[in-house]
């Protein structure tokens, strides 16, 4: 499988108390999964480490309608508004090196 060239979606991150909630919604995808996803430091071009605990991100499962949605609760973590972040989706749990979708988080 290559990149999801027909995919579109939104990623939202908000702080509630001392926690960060991240939501990813994608459409126009082939049915399947699981697809790991994470918020990362940096941009799609630069890459960067995963923000928070990788196990806090439930994998995406794409339904027959081509939609996938997942929510992550990053406990005790607040994003730094001065930094750049991005979200990426990996090909599979055994192939995290292959990124099939990436998007920047807006300031």
């Amino acid at each position: 499988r290559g990149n999801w060239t027909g995919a579109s979606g939104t990623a939202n991150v908000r702080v509630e108390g001392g926690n960060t909630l991240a939501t990813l919604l994608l459409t126009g995808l082939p049915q399947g999964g699981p697809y790991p996803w994470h918020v990362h430091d940096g941009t799609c071009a630069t890459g960067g480490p995963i923000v928070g605990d990788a196990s806090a991100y439930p994998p995406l499962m794409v339904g027959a309608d081509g939609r996938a949605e997942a929510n992550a609760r990053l406990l005790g973590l607040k994003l730094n508004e001065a930094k750049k972040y991005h979200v990426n989706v990996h090909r599979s749990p055994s192939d995290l090196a292959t990124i099939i979708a990436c998007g920047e988080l807006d300031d």
Side-chain angles (χ1 to χ4, degrees), residues 22-105:
T23 300
L24 182 60
L25 173 62
L26 298 172
T27 59
L29 306 173
Q31 185 174 0
Y35 300 107
W37 68 284
H38 310 99
V39 175
H40 290 258
D41 284 336
T43 66
C44 291
T46 64
I50 294 172
V51 174
D53 185 347
S55 67
Y57 297 88
L60 292 166
M61 297 298 294
V62 181
D65 61 356
R67 292 172 49 93
E69 183 173 7
N71 300 289
R73 180 179 300 275
L74 307 173
L75 301 176
L77 181 67
K78 293 170 74 173
L79 297 184
N80 180 343
E81 292 181 16
K83 291 177 65 176
K84 298 221 176 269
Y85 299 96
H86 67 285
V87 174
N88 63 28
V89 180
H90 305 273
R91 177 177 284 172
S92 71
S94 62
D95 186 4
L96 295 177
T98 302
I99 297 170
I100 56 177
C102 188
E104 312 287 337
L105 290 179

